[in-house]
Amino acid sequence: MNIHDDIAIVVGIVTIISAVYKVVVEPKIDAKIAGLETKGFLIIENSKNILSEKITTVDRKIDIHLESYTNYKEASLLQANGLNERINHSWNKTKELFNNEKAERKEFQALIQKQRELKNRE
């Protein structure tokens, strides 16, 4: 036996092992990879659906809270504006009463002054 025959035998054995691997083992690996890809796609689709539902739920909750905040804000503004109007009305009324009181005091002072002048003349 010479080295040339040994190399031919080793190459033949490697070729047979490679053929057996391609026929027997590789299809199983390809099937497992395809199964994993299918499972991966299903997991991604399920995750996508779950996230979409959660986003929709959160969006609805945000809309409800925004609506509630808007209503609260409008009610607060109406209340504040109502209070401002009442304060302004009370202030104007007080101012008017003060001016009337001041005018009446001037009239009384003028009347008292006239009476004193009349007493001083007599």
Side-chain angles (χ1 to χ4, degrees):
M1 277 199 97
N2 74 31
I3 197 150
H4 185 28
D5 292 334
D6 291 339
I7 291 176
I9 291 174
V10 170
V11 169
I13 291 173
V14 169
T15 305
I16 291 173
I17 291 174
S18 140
V20 168
Y21 175 80
K22 285 198 179 257
V23 171
V24 175
V25 176
E26 213 172 82
K28 289 180 182 177
I29 291 174
D30 289 341
K32 285 182 181 179
I33 289 173
L36 289 175
E37 286 177 350
T38 305
K39 286 180 184 177
F41 289 133
L42 288 175
I43 289 171
I44 289 171
E45 280 297 315
N46 288 339
S47 299
K48 182 179 157 186
N49 291 337
I50 290 170
L51 285 175
S52 176
E53 290 172 6
K54 286 189 178 188
I55 288 172
T56 304
T57 304
V58 168
D59 189 39
R60 286 183 189 148
K61 287 181 181 178
I62 288 173
D63 286 342
I64 290 170
H65 288 294
L66 285 175
E67 181 88 17
S68 175
Y69 171 74
T70 303
N71 291 338
Y72 175 76
K73 181 180 166 188
E74 288 176 3
S76 297
L77 284 174
L78 285 173
Q79 183 181 15
N81 288 337
L83 290 174
N84 282 337
E85 287 177 11
R86 288 177 65 190
I87 290 170
N88 288 338
H89 176 71
S90 296
W91 178 254
N92 290 336
K93 191 174 179 182
T94 305
K95 198 173 174 183
E96 184 181 316
L97 289 173
F98 180 74
N99 288 336
N100 288 343
E101 194 69 31
K102 192 175 178 182
E104 286 179 7
R105 246 190 246 146
K106 283 185 180 181
E107 287 176 14
F108 284 131
Q109 287 174 352
L111 183 64
I112 291 172
Q113 187 69 26
K114 283 182 184 178
Q115 286 179 353
R116 284 186 187 163
E117 287 175 7
L118 289 175
K119 282 187 180 180
N120 286 340
R121 285 187 189 172
E122 291 179 354

